[in-house]
Amino acid sequence: MRSGDALTQHGRAIMDRLETGLADKVTGRLRELDDDLPRLITDYAFGAVVGREGLDLKSREMITVASLITLGNASAQLELHMRAALNVGVTQRELLEIVIQMAIYAGVPACMNALTVYRAAVAQHAAQPED
């Protein structure tokens, strides 16, 4: 497993694959609160966990979206990860199917809230300039 600066760079690279400029945006906001906080996210969450072998990034984002829907209280993170899912190859249809599937496990209110987030994420993703 990577460690130190290599782990940080690996985590930052994954974040930027999910959404261009995400690493700088997130670490900048976290650094405003505490100088060590950005490494917890880049190194642990993205570098060590999301960056593990065994699942591709598309699969990991689909799982993350489903999990955030079931939480029912993380709409900002859900929208970010819906956009990220679209950025790594999840289709709009697949994303919608994840939302619908979660109605069984999280309930219809969570599904309805996720549909609102889905609309916003798809609209924002469509408005992104092509690379």
Side-chain angles (χ1 to χ4, degrees):
M1 182 199 305
R2 295 174 174 94
S3 63
D5 288 338
L7 184 60
T8 300
Q9 291 308 312
H10 180 57
R12 288 180 61 84
I14 291 169
M15 293 172 80
D16 286 337
R17 281 184 58 202
L18 297 177
E19 188 167 273
T20 303
L22 182 62
D24 285 341
K25 178 181 171 184
V26 169
T27 58
R29 300 273 299 158
L30 293 173
R31 192 170 285 111
E32 292 172 0
L33 302 172
D34 182 276
D35 286 339
D36 295 326
L37 197 50
R39 281 195 178 240
L40 291 174
I41 301 302
T42 58
D43 294 20
Y44 177 66
F46 288 95
V49 177
V50 177
R52 288 176 53 87
E53 293 182 10
L55 287 174
D56 61 23
L57 196 51
K58 177 181 175 181
S59 298
R60 288 186 187 276
E61 282 304 303
M62 293 171 84
I63 293 165
T64 300
V65 165
S67 179
L68 289 169
I69 291 168
T70 63
L71 285 176
N73 62 356
S75 60
Q77 292 82 8
L78 177 58
E79 185 176 344
L80 168 68
H81 283 283
M82 283 185 167
R83 289 192 318 268
L86 294 166
N87 288 336
V88 297
V90 176
T91 67
Q92 288 183 20
R93 185 63 196 188
E94 288 171 325
L95 199 55
L96 179 59
E97 289 299 324
I98 293 167
V99 173
I100 294 167
Q101 180 76 16
M102 290 305 100
I104 297 168
Y105 301 99
V108 173
C111 175
M112 298 304 289
N113 290 339
L115 287 171
T116 299
V117 175
Y118 168 82
R119 286 185 178 106
V122 167
Q124 189 167 2
H125 182 263
Q128 288 179 351
E130 293 292 323
D131 291 332

Coordinates of all heavy atoms in Angstrom, one line a residue, residues 28-108:
G28 N -8.8 22.7 0.2 CA -8.8 24.1 0.5 C -9.9 24.4 1.6 O -9.6 25.1 2.6
R29 N -11.1 23.9 1.4 CA -12.1 24.2 2.4 C -11.8 23.5 3.7 O -12.1 24.1 4.8 CB -13.5 23.6 1.9 CG -13.9 24.3 0.6 CD -14.7 25.5 0.7 NE -15.9 25.2 1.5 CZ -16.6 26.1 2.2 NH1 -16.2 27.4 2.1 NH2 -17.7 25.8 2.9
L30 N -11.2 22.3 3.7 CA -10.9 21.6 4.9 C -9.7 22.3 5.7 O -9.7 22.4 6.9 CB -10.6 20.2 4.7 CG -11.7 19.3 4.2 CD1 -11.2 17.9 3.8 CD2 -12.8 19.2 5.2
R31 N -8.7 22.8 4.9 CA -7.6 23.5 5.4 C -8.0 24.7 6.2 O -7.3 25.2 7.1 CB -6.5 23.7 4.4 CG -5.2 24.2 4.9 CD -4.1 24.2 3.9 NE -3.7 22.9 3.5 CZ -3.9 22.3 2.3 NH1 -4.6 22.9 1.4 NH2 -3.5 21.0 2.1
E32 N -9.1 25.4 5.8 CA -9.6 26.6 6.5 C -9.9 26.2 7.9 O -9.8 27.1 8.8 CB -10.8 27.1 5.8 CG -10.6 27.7 4.4 CD -11.9 28.0 3.7 OE1 -13.0 27.8 4.3 OE2 -11.9 28.5 2.6
L33 N -10.2 25.0 8.2 CA -10.6 24.6 9.5 C -9.4 24.0 10.3 O -9.3 24.2 11.5 CB -11.7 23.5 9.5 CG -13.0 24.0 8.8 CD1 -13.9 22.8 8.6 CD2 -13.6 25.1 9.5
D34 N -8.6 23.2 9.6 CA -7.5 22.5 10.3 C -6.5 22.1 9.2 O -6.8 21.5 8.2 CB -8.0 21.3 11.1 CG -6.9 20.6 11.8 OD1 -6.2 19.8 11.2 OD2 -6.7 20.9 13.0
D35 N -5.2 22.3 9.5 CA -4.1 22.0 8.5 C -4.0 20.5 8.2 O -3.6 20.1 7.2 CB -2.8 22.6 9.0 CG -2.7 24.1 8.8 OD1 -3.4 24.6 8.0 OD2 -1.8 24.7 9.5
D36 N -4.4 19.7 9.2 CA -4.2 18.2 9.0 C -5.4 17.6 8.4 O -5.4 16.4 8.0 CB -3.9 17.6 10.4 CG -2.6 18.0 10.9 OD1 -1.6 18.2 10.1 OD2 -2.4 18.1 12.2
L37 N -6.6 18.2 8.4 CA -7.8 17.7 8.0 C -7.8 17.2 6.5 O -8.3 16.1 6.2 CB -9.0 18.6 8.2 CG -10.4 18.1 8.2 CD1 -10.6 16.9 9.1 CD2 -11.3 19.2 8.6
P38 N -7.2 17.9 5.6 CA -7.2 17.5 4.2 C -6.6 16.1 4.0 O -7.1 15.3 3.2 CB -6.4 18.5 3.5 CG -6.5 19.8 4.3 CD -6.6 19.3 5.7
R39 N -5.5 15.8 4.8 CA -4.9 14.5 4.6 C -5.8 13.3 5.0 O -5.7 12.2 4.5 CB -3.6 14.4 5.3 CG -2.5 15.1 4.5 CD -1.1 14.7 5.1 NE -0.1 15.4 4.3 CZ 0.8 14.7 3.6 NH1 0.9 13.4 3.7 NH2 1.7 15.4 2.9
L40 N -6.7 13.6 6.0 CA -7.6 12.5 6.4 C -8.5 12.1 5.2 O -8.8 11.0 5.0 CB -8.5 13.0 7.6 CG -7.8 13.2 8.9 CD1 -8.8 13.8 9.9 CD2 -7.2 11.9 9.4
I41 N -8.9 13.1 4.4 CA -9.8 12.8 3.3 C -9.0 12.3 2.1 O -9.3 11.2 1.6 CB -10.6 14.1 2.9 CG1 -11.4 14.6 4.0 CG2 -11.4 13.9 1.6 CD1 -12.4 13.6 4.6
T42 N -7.9 13.0 1.7 CA -7.1 12.5 0.6 C -6.5 11.2 0.8 O -6.5 10.3 0.0 CB -6.1 13.6 0.2 OG1 -5.2 13.8 1.2 CG2 -6.7 14.8 -0.3
D43 N -5.8 11.0 2.0 CA -5.1 9.8 2.2 C -5.9 8.6 2.6 O -5.8 7.6 2.0 CB -4.0 10.1 3.4 CG -3.0 11.0 3.0 OD1 -3.2 11.8 2.1 OD2 -1.9 11.0 3.7
Y44 N -6.8 8.8 3.6 CA -7.6 7.7 4.0 C -8.8 7.4 3.1 O -8.9 6.4 2.5 CB -8.1 7.9 5.5 CG -9.0 6.8 5.9 CD1 -8.5 5.5 6.1 CD2 -10.3 7.0 6.2 CE1 -9.3 4.5 6.5 CE2 -11.2 5.9 6.6 CZ -10.6 4.7 6.7 OH -11.4 3.7 7.1
A45 N -9.7 8.4 3.0 CA -11.0 8.1 2.3 C -10.7 7.8 0.8 O -11.2 6.8 0.3 CB -11.9 9.3 2.4
F46 N -9.9 8.6 0.1 CA -9.7 8.4 -1.3 C -8.5 7.6 -1.6 O -8.6 6.7 -2.4 CB -9.6 9.8 -2.0 CG -11.0 10.4 -2.1 CD1 -11.4 11.4 -1.1 CD2 -11.9 10.1 -3.1 CE1 -12.6 12.0 -1.2 CE2 -13.2 10.7 -3.1 CZ -13.5 11.6 -2.2
G47 N -7.3 7.9 -1.0 CA -6.1 7.1 -1.3 C -6.2 5.7 -0.9 O -5.9 4.8 -1.6
A48 N -6.5 5.5 0.4 CA -6.5 4.1 1.0 C -7.7 3.3 0.7 O -7.6 2.1 0.6 CB -6.2 4.2 2.5
V49 N -8.9 3.9 0.7 CA -10.1 3.2 0.6 C -10.6 3.2 -0.8 O -10.7 2.1 -1.5 CB -11.2 3.7 1.6 CG1 -12.5 2.9 1.4 CG2 -10.7 3.5 3.0
V50 N -11.0 4.3 -1.4 CA -11.5 4.4 -2.7 C -10.4 3.9 -3.7 O -10.7 3.3 -4.7 CB -12.0 5.8 -3.1 CG1 -12.4 5.9 -4.6 CG2 -13.1 6.2 -2.2
G51 N -9.1 4.1 -3.4 CA -8.0 3.7 -4.3 C -7.6 2.3 -4.2 O -6.6 1.9 -4.9
R52 N -8.3 1.5 -3.4 CA -7.9 0.1 -3.3 C -8.2 -0.6 -4.6 O -9.1 -0.3 -5.4 CB -8.8 -0.6 -2.2 CG -8.4 -0.2 -0.8 CD -9.3 -0.9 0.2 NE -9.4 -2.3 0.0 CZ -8.6 -3.2 0.6 NH1 -7.6 -2.8 1.4 NH2 -8.8 -4.5 0.4
E53 N -7.5 -1.7 -4.8 CA -7.8 -2.6 -5.9 C -9.0 -3.5 -5.5 O -9.3 -3.5 -4.4 CB -6.6 -3.5 -6.2 CG -5.4 -2.7 -6.7 CD -4.2 -3.6 -7.1 OE1 -4.3 -4.8 -7.1 OE2 -3.1 -3.1 -7.3
G54 N -9.6 -4.1 -6.5 CA -10.7 -5.0 -6.2 C -12.0 -4.5 -6.8 O -12.9 -5.3 -7.2
L55 N -12.2 -3.2 -6.9 CA -13.4 -2.6 -7.5 C -13.0 -1.4 -8.4 O -12.1 -0.7 -7.9 CB -14.4 -2.1 -6.5 CG -15.3 -3.1 -5.7 CD1 -16.1 -2.4 -4.7 CD2 -16.2 -3.9 -6.7
D56 N -13.6 -1.3 -9.5 CA -13.2 -0.1 -10.3 C -13.9 1.1 -9.8 O -14.8 1.0 -9.0 CB -13.5 -0.3 -11.8 CG -15.0 -0.6 -12.1 OD1 -15.9 -0.2 -11.3 OD2 -15.3 -1.2 -13.2
L57 N -13.5 2.3 -10.2 CA -14.0 3.5 -9.7 C -15.5 3.7 -10.0 O -16.3 4.2 -9.2 CB -13.2 4.7 -10.3 CG -13.4 6.0 -9.6 CD1 -13.2 5.9 -8.0 CD2 -12.4 7.0 -10.1
K58 N -16.0 3.2 -11.2 CA -17.4 3.3 -11.5 C -18.2 2.5 -10.5 O -19.2 3.0 -10.0 CB -17.6 2.7 -13.0 CG -19.0 2.7 -13.4 CD -19.2 2.2 -14.8 CE -20.7 2.0 -15.2 NZ -20.9 1.5 -16.5
S59 N -17.8 1.3 -10.2 CA -18.5 0.5 -9.3 C -18.5 1.1 -7.9 O -19.6 1.1 -7.2 CB -17.9 -0.9 -9.2 OG -18.0 -1.6 -10.4
R60 N -17.4 1.6 -7.5 CA -17.3 2.3 -6.2 C -18.3 3.5 -6.1 O -18.9 3.7 -5.1 CB -15.9 2.7 -5.9 CG -15.0 1.5 -5.5 CD -13.6 2.0 -5.1 NE -12.7 0.9 -4.9 CZ -12.7 0.1 -3.9 NH1 -13.4 0.3 -2.8 NH2 -11.8 -0.9 -3.8
E61 N -18.4 4.3 -7.2 CA -19.3 5.4 -7.1 C -20.7 5.0 -7.1 O -21.6 5.6 -6.5 CB -19.0 6.4 -8.3 CG -17.8 7.2 -8.1 CD -17.8 8.0 -6.8 OE1 -18.8 8.8 -6.7 OE2 -17.0 7.9 -6.0
M62 N -21.1 3.9 -7.8 CA -22.4 3.4 -7.8 C -22.8 3.0 -6.4 O -23.9 3.3 -5.9 CB -22.6 2.2 -8.8 CG -22.5 2.7 -10.2 SD -22.4 1.3 -11.4 CE -24.2 1.0 -11.6
I63 N -21.9 2.3 -5.7 CA -22.1 1.9 -4.3 C -22.2 3.1 -3.4 O -23.1 3.2 -2.5 CB -21.0 1.0 -3.8 CG1 -21.0 -0.4 -4.6 CG2 -21.0 0.7 -2.3 CD1 -19.8 -1.2 -4.5
T64 N -21.4 4.1 -3.6 CA -21.4 5.3 -2.8 C -22.7 6.0 -2.9 O -23.3 6.5 -1.9 CB -20.2 6.2 -3.2 OG1 -19.0 5.5 -2.9 CG2 -20.2 7.5 -2.3
V65 N -23.2 6.2 -4.2 CA -24.5 6.8 -4.4 C -25.6 6.1 -3.7 O -26.4 6.7 -3.0 CB -24.8 6.9 -5.9 CG1 -26.2 7.3 -6.2 CG2 -23.9 8.0 -6.5
A66 N -25.6 4.8 -3.8 CA -26.7 4.0 -3.1 C -26.6 4.2 -1.6 O -27.6 4.4 -0.9 CB -26.5 2.5 -3.5
S67 N -25.4 4.2 -1.1 CA -25.3 4.3 0.4 C -25.7 5.7 0.8 O -26.4 5.8 1.9 CB -23.8 4.1 0.7 OG -23.6 4.3 2.1
L68 N -25.3 6.7 0.1 CA -25.7 8.1 0.5 C -27.2 8.3 0.4 O -27.8 9.0 1.2 CB -25.0 9.1 -0.4 CG -23.5 9.2 -0.1 CD1 -22.8 10.1 -1.2 CD2 -23.3 9.9 1.3
I69 N -27.9 7.6 -0.6 CA -29.3 7.7 -0.7 C -29.9 7.1 0.6 O -30.9 7.7 1.2 CB -29.9 7.0 -1.9 CG1 -29.5 7.7 -3.2 CG2 -31.4 6.8 -1.9 CD1 -29.7 7.0 -4.5
T70 N -29.4 6.0 1.0 CA -30.0 5.3 2.2 C -29.8 6.1 3.5 O -30.6 6.0 4.4 CB -29.5 3.9 2.4 OG1 -28.1 3.9 2.7 CG2 -29.8 3.0 1.2
L71 N -28.7 6.9 3.5 CA -28.5 7.7 4.7 C -29.7 8.8 4.8 O -30.1 9.1 5.9 CB -27.2 8.5 4.6 CG -25.9 7.7 4.9 CD1 -24.7 8.5 4.7 CD2 -26.0 7.1 6.3
G72 N -30.0 9.3 3.7 CA -31.1 10.3 3.7 C -30.9 11.7 4.2 O -31.7 12.5 4.3
N73 N -29.6 11.9 4.6 CA -29.3 13.2 5.2 C -28.0 13.8 4.7 O -27.4 14.6 5.4 CB -29.2 13.1 6.7 CG -28.2 12.2 7.2 OD1 -27.5 11.5 6.4 ND2 -28.0 12.1 8.5
A74 N -27.6 13.4 3.5 CA -26.3 13.9 2.9 C -26.5 14.3 1.5 O -25.8 13.9 0.6 CB -25.3 12.7 3.0
S75 N -27.4 15.2 1.3 CA -27.8 15.6 -0.1 C -26.6 16.3 -0.8 O -26.4 16.1 -2.0 CB -29.0 16.5 -0.2 OG -28.8 17.7 0.6
A76 N -25.8 17.1 -0.1 CA -24.6 17.7 -0.8 C -23.6 16.7 -1.3 O -23.1 16.7 -2.4 CB -24.0 18.7 0.1
Q77 N -23.4 15.7 -0.4 CA -22.4 14.6 -0.8 C -23.0 13.7 -1.9 O -22.3 13.3 -2.8 CB -22.0 13.8 0.4 CG -21.2 14.5 1.4 CD -22.0 15.4 2.4 OE1 -23.3 15.4 2.4 NE2 -21.4 16.2 3.2
L78 N -24.3 13.5 -1.8 CA -25.0 12.7 -2.8 C -24.9 13.4 -4.1 O -24.6 12.7 -5.1 CB -26.5 12.5 -2.4 CG -27.3 11.7 -3.4 CD1 -26.8 10.3 -3.7 CD2 -28.8 11.6 -2.9
E79 N -25.2 14.7 -4.2 CA -25.1 15.3 -5.5 C -23.7 15.3 -6.1 O -23.5 15.0 -7.2 CB -25.5 16.8 -5.4 CG -25.6 17.5 -6.8 CD -26.1 18.9 -6.8 OE1 -26.8 19.3 -5.8 OE2 -25.9 19.6 -7.8
L80 N -22.7 15.5 -5.2 CA -21.3 15.4 -5.7 C -21.0 14.0 -6.2 O -20.4 13.9 -7.3 CB -20.3 15.7 -4.5 CG -18.9 15.4 -4.8 CD1 -18.3 16.3 -5.8 CD2 -18.0 15.4 -3.5
H81 N -21.4 13.0 -5.5 CA -21.1 11.6 -5.9 C -21.9 11.2 -7.1 O -21.5 10.4 -7.9 CB -21.1 10.7 -4.8 CG -19.9 10.7 -3.9 ND1 -18.7 10.2 -4.3 CD2 -19.7 11.4 -2.7 CE1 -17.8 10.5 -3.3 NE2 -18.4 11.2 -2.4
M82 N -23.1 11.8 -7.3 CA -23.9 11.5 -8.5 C -23.1 12.1 -9.7 O -23.0 11.5 -10.8 CB -25.3 12.1 -8.4 CG -26.2 11.2 -7.6 SD -27.9 11.9 -7.6 CE -28.8 10.5 -6.9
R83 N -22.7 13.3 -9.6 CA -21.9 13.9 -10.7 C -20.6 13.1 -10.9 O -20.2 12.9 -12.1 CB -21.5 15.4 -10.3 CG -22.7 16.4 -10.4 CD -22.2 17.8 -10.3 NE -21.2 18.1 -9.4 CZ -21.3 18.5 -8.2 NH1 -22.6 18.7 -7.7 NH2 -20.3 18.8 -7.4
A84 N -20.0 12.7 -9.8 CA -18.7 11.9 -10.0 C -19.0 10.6 -10.7 O -18.3 10.2 -11.6 CB -18.1 11.7 -8.6
A85 N -20.1 10.0 -10.4 CA -20.5 8.7 -11.0 C -20.7 9.0 -12.5 O -20.2 8.2 -13.3 CB -21.8 8.2 -10.4
L86 N -21.4 10.0 -12.9 CA -21.5 10.4 -14.3 C -20.2 10.6 -14.9 O -19.9 10.2 -16.1 CB -22.4 11.6 -14.5 CG -23.9 11.4 -14.1 CD1 -24.6 12.7 -13.9 CD2 -24.6 10.4 -15.0
N87 N -19.3 11.2 -14.2 CA -17.9 11.6 -14.8 C -17.1 10.3 -15.0 O -16.1 10.4 -15.8 CB -17.2 12.5 -13.8 CG -17.8 13.9 -13.9 OD1 -18.4 14.3 -14.9 ND2 -17.5 14.7 -12.8
V88 N -17.3 9.2 -14.3 CA -16.5 8.0 -14.4 C -17.2 6.9 -15.2 O -16.8 5.8 -15.2 CB -16.0 7.5 -13.1 CG1 -15.1 8.5 -12.4 CG2 -17.1 7.1 -12.1
G89 N -18.3 7.3 -15.9 CA -18.9 6.3 -16.8 C -20.3 5.8 -16.4 O -20.8 5.0 -17.2
V90 N -20.8 6.1 -15.3 CA -22.2 5.7 -15.0 C -23.1 6.5 -15.9 O -23.0 7.7 -16.0 CB -22.5 5.9 -13.5 CG1 -23.9 5.6 -13.2 CG2 -21.5 5.1 -12.6
T91 N -24.1 5.8 -16.5 CA -25.0 6.5 -17.4 C -26.1 7.1 -16.5 O -26.4 6.7 -15.4 CB -25.6 5.6 -18.4 OG1 -26.5 4.6 -17.7 CG2 -24.6 4.8 -19.2
Q92 N -26.8 8.1 -17.1 CA -28.0 8.7 -16.4 C -29.0 7.6 -16.1 O -29.6 7.7 -15.0 CB -28.6 9.8 -17.3 CG -27.7 11.0 -17.4 CD -28.4 12.1 -18.2 OE1 -29.6 12.1 -18.4 NE2 -27.6 13.1 -18.7
R93 N -29.2 6.7 -17.0 CA -30.2 5.6 -16.8 C -29.8 4.8 -15.6 O -30.6 4.4 -14.7 CB -30.4 4.8 -18.0 CG -31.4 3.7 -17.9 CD -32.8 4.4 -17.7 NE -33.7 3.4 -17.2 CZ -35.0 3.7 -17.1 NH1 -35.5 4.9 -17.4 NH2 -35.8 2.8 -16.7
E94 N -28.5 4.4 -15.6 CA -28.0 3.6 -14.4 C -28.2 4.3 -13.1 O -28.6 3.7 -12.1 CB -26.5 3.2 -14.6 CG -26.3 2.2 -15.7 CD -24.8 2.0 -16.1 OE1 -24.0 3.0 -16.0 OE2 -24.4 0.9 -16.4
L95 N -27.8 5.6 -13.1 CA -28.0 6.4 -11.9 C -29.4 6.5 -11.5 O -29.7 6.3 -10.3 CB -27.4 7.8 -12.2 CG -27.0 8.7 -11.0 CD1 -26.1 8.0 -10.1 CD2 -26.5 10.0 -11.5
L96 N -30.3 6.7 -12.4 CA -31.8 6.7 -12.1 C -32.2 5.3 -11.5 O -33.0 5.3 -10.5 CB -32.6 7.0 -13.3 CG -34.1 7.1 -13.1 CD1 -34.5 8.1 -12.0 CD2 -34.8 7.4 -14.4
E97 N -31.7 4.3 -12.1 CA -32.1 2.9 -11.6 C -31.6 2.7 -10.2 O -32.2 2.0 -9.3 CB -31.6 1.8 -12.5 CG -32.3 1.8 -13.8 CD -33.8 1.5 -13.7 OE1 -34.2 0.7 -12.8 OE2 -34.6 2.0 -14.4
I98 N -30.4 3.2 -9.8 CA -29.9 3.2 -8.5 C -30.9 3.9 -7.5 O -31.2 3.3 -6.5 CB -28.5 3.8 -8.3 CG1 -27.5 2.9 -9.1 CG2 -28.1 3.9 -6.9 CD1 -26.1 3.6 -9.3
V99 N -31.3 5.0 -7.9 CA -32.3 5.8 -7.1 C -33.6 5.0 -6.9 O -34.1 4.8 -5.7 CB -32.6 7.2 -7.7 CG1 -33.7 7.9 -6.9 CG2 -31.3 8.0 -7.7
I100 N -34.1 4.4 -7.9 CA -35.3 3.7 -7.9 C -35.1 2.4 -7.0 O -36.0 2.1 -6.2 CB -35.8 3.3 -9.3 CG1 -36.2 4.6 -10.0 CG2 -37.0 2.3 -9.2 CD1 -36.4 4.4 -11.5
Q101 N -34.0 1.7 -7.2 CA -33.7 0.5 -6.4 C -33.7 0.8 -4.9 O -34.2 0.1 -4.1 CB -32.4 -0.1 -6.8 CG -32.0 -1.3 -6.1 CD -32.7 -2.5 -6.5 OE1 -33.3 -2.6 -7.5 NE2 -32.6 -3.6 -5.7
M102 N -33.2 2.0 -4.5 CA -33.0 2.4 -3.1 C -34.4 2.7 -2.5 O -34.5 2.7 -1.2 CB -32.1 3.5 -2.9 CG -30.6 3.2 -3.2 SD -30.0 1.8 -2.3 CE -30.1 0.5 -3.4
A103 N -35.4 2.8 -3.3 CA -36.8 3.0 -2.7 C -37.2 1.8 -1.8 O -37.8 2.0 -0.8 CB -37.8 3.3 -3.8
I104 N -36.7 0.7 -2.2 CA -37.0 -0.6 -1.5 C -36.3 -0.6 -0.1 O -36.9 -1.0 0.9 CB -36.6 -1.8 -2.3 CG1 -37.4 -1.9 -3.6 CG2 -36.8 -3.1 -1.5 CD1 -36.9 -2.9 -4.6
Y105 N -35.1 -0.1 -0.1 CA -34.3 -0.3 1.1 C -34.3 0.9 2.0 O -34.1 0.8 3.2 CB -32.8 -0.7 0.7 CG -32.8 -1.9 -0.1 CD1 -32.8 -1.9 -1.5 CD2 -33.0 -3.2 0.6 CE1 -32.8 -3.1 -2.2 CE2 -33.0 -4.3 -0.1 CZ -32.9 -4.3 -1.5 OH -33.0 -5.5 -2.2
A106 N -34.5 2.1 1.4 CA -34.4 3.4 2.1 C -35.8 4.0 2.3 O -35.9 4.9 3.1 CB -33.5 4.3 1.5
G107 N -36.7 3.6 1.5 CA -38.1 4.1 1.6 C -38.4 5.1 0.5 O -37.4 5.7 -0.2
V108 N -39.6 5.3 0.2 CA -40.0 6.2 -0.9 C -39.6 7.6 -0.6 O -39.2 8.3 -1.5 CB -41.6 6.1 -1.2 CG1 -42.0 7.1 -2.2 CG2 -41.9 4.7 -1.7

